[in-house]
Amino acid sequence: MMLVKLKIDDPLDAFPVHGACGFWGVLAPGIFLSYQEAVAAGYFADVEEAAANHGVQFGIQFVGALVIACWTVVNALGIFGLLKYANILRVSAEDEKTGLDKKEHGISSYGMTMRSKGGIGMKAMMGDGTPASTLEMPDRDRREGSGRKLDLTNIDEEAPSAKV
């Protein structure tokens, strides 16, 4: 939801998965690490020292997570800034509309044929000609909805074919 409001283009949800979960993964040992595990890891000499410095490990983990985040932001800004300056960050509007799969490989990744009889019913055929009984219809932006399923089990098989 925050990515949509900030207008951040992240179609694969890389930040929530790798950024936020990674930040949590660095913080979690500072919260859940037992005194014995802290001693075994070499953070403290004995259990009493670990108990006396209970919040220190969380603070260390938090500073480490911030350093990783800063390092990532600085490097990403540098790399993507150079790519934008060189005008190679994005594909052309035409390639974006057509699809990179079509440009790079000469075919569409979504090889389905939709059949319609009088514009009422549709029968989905996969690229290899086998019928699909249920077709997943993802929303344009996954963050705004979870997609919807289109039931195609009772559709006329003899309808004319139209490539989508």
Side-chain angles (χ1 to χ4, degrees):
M1 183 89 131
M2 189 160 73
L3 293 176
V4 174
K5 285 185 180 184
L6 295 174
K7 296 183 180 181
I8 296 174
D9 184 14
D10 187 7
L12 300 176
D13 289 333
F15 175 76
V17 172
H18 299 285
C21 292
F23 199 88
W24 167 248
V26 173
L27 288 182
I31 299 169
F32 300 112
L33 189 69
S34 71
Y35 299 142
Q36 293 81 7
E37 291 169 329
V39 171
Y43 298 136
F44 302 103
D46 54 36
V47 174
E48 291 77 24
E49 182 186 0
N53 296 299
H54 184 70
V56 172
Q57 189 60 45
F58 177 77
I60 292 169
Q61 297 296 122
F62 187 75
V63 169
L66 288 177
V67 168
I68 292 167
C70 290
W71 173 262
T72 303
V73 167
V74 167
N75 280 295
L77 287 174
I79 291 168
F80 292 122
L82 286 172
L83 291 173
K84 186 175 182 179
Y85 179 76
N87 204 23
I88 56 174
L89 181 61
R90 296 191 63 101
V91 298
S92 70
E94 181 183 331
D95 289 341
E96 196 170 315
K97 185 176 180 181
T98 305
L100 285 177
D101 51 347
K102 194 83 159 169
K103 178 187 178 201
E104 296 291 325
H105 307 292
I107 60 169
S108 175
S109 294
Y110 307 99
M112 293 189 313
T113 301
M114 301 298 279
R115 295 183 179 178
S116 174
K117 186 173 186 177
I120 298 171
M122 298 175 93
K123 179 69 179 178
M125 302 296 285
M126 300 311 287
D128 62 359
T130 59
S133 61
T134 304
L135 176 64
E136 181 72 26
M137 302 291 287
D139 290 337
R140 296 283 293 159
D141 187 346
R142 291 183 298 125
R143 293 181 292 272
E144 293 178 3
S146 61
R148 57 198 182 279
K149 289 213 183 270
L150 177 62
D151 189 353
L152 302 170
T153 53
N154 298 322
I155 309 289
D156 183 4
E157 298 249 353
E158 299 301 316
S161 166
K163 196 79 170 159
V164 176

